[in-house]
Amino acid sequence: MKIESGQESKKAGYKVPFGTVSVTDKARRLIDEALDTKWVTKGKYVKEFEEKFAALFGVKYGVAVSSGTDADALACAALYDFGAKRGDEVIVPALSFVATGNAVFQAGLTPVFVDVKRETLNIDPDKIEACITPRTRAIMPVHLMGKPADMEKILTIAGKHNLQVIEDAAEAHGAEYRGRKIGAIGNMACFSLYAAHIVTTIEGGMIITDCEKTAEVLRSLRNHGMTGKFTFERIGFSAKMN
Ligand SMILES: Cc1ncc(COP(=O)(O)O)c(C=O)c1O
């Protein structure tokens, strides 16, 4: 991964950079500032980033984490606070980057793979219902390569079976579906901020949600399951953003 400064990308007279990371002069200044304060994790800029990211999608809460995979895993693990039991099932597309399925396992749940449509390479909504069992807790569509999944059909199925919808939007920052922003449609949406993705913190991820309880659970999950000062209420991860 080649890293370029803001000055260099300006000199190159860019259109759309691909496979490069632009670190602007402003970003360098803010990183220096954060290092100088010696507050280098979960600091004020992380909070500001969460608020501004969520606002872009018109949702209330953003929870910044260490990677897109952590975003997926924490979103799945949040399901325990809504009645899921270990080993319960999450429906995912049979075609995605490996992180989607891995994250379900990392959360202690079971991915159930549903075939994709040849025309879109996204999950085939007409094949979802046949895969729903009494242990299904969520559907996790992936908006593969920036193409939105068929959210209308997915929401209808989820509503009918009382399932949560977790959008894996790791590859789809800024995509729109029928006039609505991808990420603002399901109960939670997960973004990767890895160096090869559309918006990057080099390594990082973000979960957005409109649900206050979900945001609270996600904040606890990224910090070892902590709630108050050294009170640990659930099995957590260490997935904070620096
Ligand atoms: C669809 C999808 N989900 C999840 C991830 C995981 O993101 P990260 O690499 O930040 O862990 C990726 C990343 O590459 C992805 O393409």
Side-chain angles (χ1 to χ4, degrees):
M1 196 64 49
K2 190 173 162 222
I3 296 187
E4 296 187 343
S5 75
Q7 288 300 349
E8 280 164 8
S9 47
K10 224 184 258 170
K11 256 189 267 161
Y14 269 27
K15 293 160 203 131
V16 179
F18 183 79
T20 57
V21 174
S22 292
V23 181
T24 63
D25 298 334
K26 183 178 178 190
R28 281 168 198 272
R29 201 177 66 244
L30 293 175
I31 290 165
D32 274 346
E33 211 179 280
L35 291 174
D36 286 343
T37 65
K38 305 205 179 343
W39 194 301
V40 289
T41 183
K42 271 176 63 207
K44 70 172 183 176
Y45 290 131
V46 173
K47 191 162 180 294
E48 188 181 334
F49 181 45
E50 290 175 330
E51 287 166 3
K52 288 185 171 168
F53 196 98
L56 273 179
F57 293 85
V59 303
K60 291 195 191 121
Y61 309 101
V63 179
V65 291
S66 312
S67 71
T69 309
D70 285 332
D72 281 349
L74 267 63
C76 288
L79 298 171
Y80 294 121
D81 277 76
F82 295 88
K85 300 273 176 287
R86 298 248 145 209
D88 277 354
E89 296 163 3
V90 176
I91 288 180
V92 296
L95 178 70
S96 179
F97 183 58
V98 67
T100 310
N102 278 347
V104 180
F105 279 122
Q106 284 167 15
L109 298 165
T110 308
V112 173
F113 296 99
V114 169
D115 209 353
V116 296
K117 275 186 100 137
R118 183 182 280 267
E119 297 76 26
T120 63
L121 301 181
N122 282 330
I123 194 165
D124 185 342
D126 297 330
K127 293 192 174 148
I128 290 177
E129 275 196 290
C131 296
I132 292 175
T133 75
R135 301 204 69 177
T136 309
R137 294 287 165 255
I139 306 172
M140 186 148 78
V142 178
H143 308 297
L144 204 66
M145 292 174 271
K147 284 184 285 64
D150 189 344
M151 293 307 288
E152 205 167 287
K153 282 193 183 166
I154 291 167
L155 288 183
T156 304
I157 297 164
K160 187 168 150 199
H161 296 273
N162 198 21
L163 306 174
Q164 294 226 19
V165 175
I166 302 167
E167 295 178 68
D168 183 335
E171 303 178 6
H173 317 55
E176 288 190 3
Y177 170 83
R178 299 190 181 169
R180 295 175 72 186
K181 289 208 167 76
I182 281 306
I185 301 173
N187 300 86
M188 292 175 255
C190 307
F191 294 85
S192 169
L193 303 168
Y194 175 59
H197 286 240
I198 299 163
V199 176
T200 184
T201 54
I202 313 298
E203 299 283 357
M206 182 76 77
I207 311 154
I208 59 172
T209 179
D210 243 342
C211 170
E212 188 179 0
K213 177 178 168 185
T214 301
E216 231 169 73
V217 170
L218 291 169
R219 282 188 212 110
S220 161
L221 281 170
R222 79 173 162 192
N223 195 18
H224 309 282
M226 199 171 344
T227 44
K229 208 171 187 199
F230 283 92
T231 310
F232 299 89
E233 281 193 9
R234 52 183 65 75
I235 298 171
F237 295 69
S238 181
K240 300 170 287 291
M241 175 179 274
N242 63 41

